[in-house]
Amino acid sequence: MGEQVEQSSMMLEDREQLLEMYNSIFDIIYNWIVVVDRQGIIRMINSRYCHFLGVEQQEAVGKHVTEIIENTRMHIVAQNGRREIGDIQQIKGNKMIADRIPIYQKGQLIGAVGTVIFKDVVELDAYVKRVGHMEKELDFYKKELKKALGTDNTFDNIIGTSQALQRAMNLAKRVASTKSNVLLLGESGTGKGLFASAIHNASPRSEYPLIKVNCAAIPSELLESELFGYEGGAFTGAKKGGKPGKFELAHKSSIFLDEIGDLPLNMQAKLLKVLQEKEIERVGGVKSQKVDIRIIAATNRNLEEMVKEKTFREDLYYRLNVINIRIPSLRERKEDIPMLADYLIRKTAKEMDRFVTEISPAAMRCLVEYQWPGNIRELENVIERAFNLVDKEAGITLKQLPTYLVAEQETEAVYAETSLKEAVEAVERKTISRCLNETMGNKYQTARLLGISRTSLYEKMEKYGIEVSK
Ligand SMILES: Nc1ncnc2c1ncn2[C@@H]1O[C@H](COP(=O)(O)OP(=O)(O)OP(=O)(O)O)[C@@H](O)[C@H]1O
């Protein structure tokens, strides 16, 4: 008996909770809703609808629906039990789309529920079109902005299958979705910027643009206002309304601090404060503001050494070094060079609107053997230069590669996999370059040393694209 009482009181409690929940939903729902009984008396009406009608909820409930809502047919539906969907109803000068649905309980008609979905059909239509158009436009500009900022790269743009690169990529992919700060280490031109974009674009923050700062490129006296922004009148020459800094712009996004090793000590302290307090204050400002940012830092310097030498703050180093990814140099992954060269040739051909797609085996061999101190950026430059020298739709050969690059190779290595003609040309090219170096660019002496006429030397220099540096 006691158990039964307990059970039914629990059921009652459940019902009350359920009712309370339905009431809340009814009230917060975006649509405007009214419920009438069979006599057309309003039993429920949500506050949004009341607000539009300009009546109080308590005032409306209990009144006949015709007293509260113009042109209503709710009392008719509550009588005849026939649903009306999509009826146009004029209320307070607005055209509304009204749905009126009879309510039955155990087969008995007990009233009706009515909803009004938007205040004006024409406006709704125009609104939907406008929003759709704006969304498309926004998407377009987001993409364009990313392209313009060079931040539209994803992991698909990182070329290379070598183990060394794949290891770095796998780690980067794993950490992309986390909130952790990332430190990218690697020589200049290895792709640190590319990795930073790819990590950001694979993260939940990718809706917002990646903000880039090259710490080495901004004069130290401007760095603070660049990073933190300033209030109007903060200093002479300050913009009237002030200017947001890069940290502020990176709110909810990621900030790429390139060349972090070049950040002066005073700015290191300020950056540390941002990381600890997650707040920034504009130069000349009085109040601080919260920022939610993820830091992706990069450097080609040895930060550990710098910490030892006390030129880089140890506490900042640990904060930034939560995850560090070392990007291998091109020398450490020579097997990626052919694939990279092909990719860059295709990319350059597209950018320059040219049909060059081929590279001779000797030229490719030369690229693979070279030491690439400037890494992929240097490879990009070499390919772009070759495009400027190559005949219209011909392929790239040794002739279009810079002398320093070809001269570095052992001639045997060059002609081991090439045609006799190319091998002869490679030897000629190399010999001429060497002689020109020896004679410090003196063409008369070079021609004599080589036993050829000066005209012939000029012709060959032009053929091989050899230039004498002044
Ligand atoms: N694995 C790769 N695949 C394709 N392109 C690459 C790759 N790595 C780098 N690049 C390209 O090489 C160029 C140099 O890369 P990036 O600027 O990212 O190097 P970095 O390490 O940031 O250089 P720095 O230290 O000088 O700023 C860029 O144009 C980039 O797109």
Side-chain angles (χ1 to χ4, degrees), residues 153 157-160 165 186-195 214 256 258-259 298-300 327 333 340 343-344 347 376-377 380:
N153 287 307
N157 299 101
I158 304 180
I159 307 300
L165 184 77
E187 288 177 16
S188 182
T190 43
K192 298 186 293 295
L194 189 58
F195 264 75
N214 186 329
F256 176 42
D258 200 3
E259 317 278 9
T299 184
N300 54 17
I327 304 171
R333 51 188 191 105
L340 264 166
Y343 167 79
L344 292 171
K347 189 172 145 196
I376 303 170
R377 179 161 308 111
E380 265 181 354

Side-chain angles (χ1 to χ4, degrees), residues 155-192:
F155 285 111
D156 292 341
N157 299 101
I158 304 180
I159 307 300
T161 51
S162 63
Q163 245 193 13
L165 184 77
Q166 286 301 320
R167 219 177 291 134
M169 283 245 269
N170 288 340
L171 180 56
K173 279 180 188 168
R174 271 212 311 278
V175 301
S177 57
T178 70
K179 276 184 156 186
S180 309
N181 294 335
V182 179
L183 181 61
L184 300 169
L185 304 169
E187 288 177 16
S188 182
T190 43
K192 298 186 293 295

Side-chain angles (χ1 to χ4, degrees), residues 346-386:
R346 269 183 284 118
K347 189 172 145 196
T348 316
K350 207 164 145 201
E351 278 164 13
M352 290 189 165
D353 203 14
R354 301 273 301 273
F355 288 100
V356 179
T357 52
E358 293 285 310
I359 175 161
S360 77
M364 183 64 99
R365 172 113 189 137
C366 202
L367 296 184
V368 175
E369 292 305 321
Y370 181 62
Q371 292 302 304
W372 299 110
N375 292 294
I376 303 170
R377 179 161 308 111
E378 189 183 0
L379 177 60
E380 265 181 354
N381 292 342
V382 163
I383 286 172
E384 192 183 319
R385 176 184 185 276

Side-chain angles (χ1 to χ4, degrees), residues 78-260:
Q79 278 295 318
N80 66 18
R82 281 200 291 274
R83 62 165 52 202
E84 297 179 355
I85 302 291
D87 189 33
I88 307 279
Q89 183 180 346
Q90 183 104 4
I91 308 177
K92 295 179 95 180
N94 297 281
K95 281 183 191 151
M96 328 274 278
I97 306 169
D99 285 352
R100 305 177 194 106
I101 298 152
I103 309 171
Y104 289 90
Q105 198 178 50
K106 294 188 180 137
Q108 284 275 314
L109 181 63
I110 58 161
V113 56
T115 67
V116 172
I117 53 168
F118 206 79
K119 70 177 184 199
D120 194 290
V121 188
V122 184
E123 200 177 300
L124 171 66
D125 193 41
Y127 175 80
V128 170
K129 278 193 190 131
R130 216 168 55 229
V131 170
H133 186 70
M134 271 158 55
E135 270 180 354
K136 271 194 209 138
E137 234 175 333
L138 189 65
D139 250 16
F140 172 79
Y141 285 120
K142 266 190 194 168
K143 281 190 193 131
E144 285 301 299
L145 181 68
K146 281 189 166 186
K147 254 192 239 164
L149 296 172
T151 55
D152 60 334
N153 287 307
T154 65
F155 285 111
D156 292 341
N157 299 101
I158 304 180
I159 307 300
T161 51
S162 63
Q163 245 193 13
L165 184 77
Q166 286 301 320
R167 219 177 291 134
M169 283 245 269
N170 288 340
L171 180 56
K173 279 180 188 168
R174 271 212 311 278
V175 301
S177 57
T178 70
K179 276 184 156 186
S180 309
N181 294 335
V182 179
L183 181 61
L184 300 169
L185 304 169
E187 288 177 16
S188 182
T190 43
K192 298 186 293 295
L194 189 58
F195 264 75
S197 293
I199 292 173
H200 171 74
N201 287 328
S203 80
R205 294 170 178 255
S206 63
E207 272 291 292
Y208 298 90
L210 171 70
I211 304 295
K212 280 184 174 184
V213 183
N214 186 329
C215 303
I218 305 170
S220 53
E221 63 278 12
L222 296 182
L223 204 53
E224 185 172 2
S225 59
E226 198 61 28
L227 288 175
F228 292 86
Y230 57 78
E231 291 297 353
F235 45 84
T236 12
K239 263 198 206 165
K240 218 167 159 215
K243 196 180 153 210
K246 300 281 187 187
F247 284 129
E248 212 173 315
L249 295 174
H251 181 50
K252 295 194 173 178
S253 186
S254 321
I255 186 162
F256 176 42
L257 299 176
D258 200 3
E259 317 278 9
I260 190 87

Side-chain angles (χ1 to χ4, degrees), residues 358-368 382 385-386 389-390 395-411 413-430 433 463-466:
E358 293 285 310
I359 175 161
S360 77
M364 183 64 99
R365 172 113 189 137
C366 202
L367 296 184
V368 175
V382 163
R385 176 184 185 276
L389 298 174
V390 77
I396 296 170
T397 64
L398 285 173
K399 271 181 260 173
Q400 289 85 38
L401 299 186
T403 347
Y404 68 83
L405 204 146
V406 182
E408 194 184 88
Q409 316 305 313
E410 276 304 309
T411 316
V414 171
Y415 64 77
E417 287 177 20
T418 188
S419 69
L420 180 65
K421 184 169 170 273
E422 269 198 312
V424 169
E425 283 177 353
V427 175
E428 264 197 352
R429 189 172 202 268
K430 191 177 167 190
S433 300
K463 177 176 169 192
Y464 299 129
I466 301 174

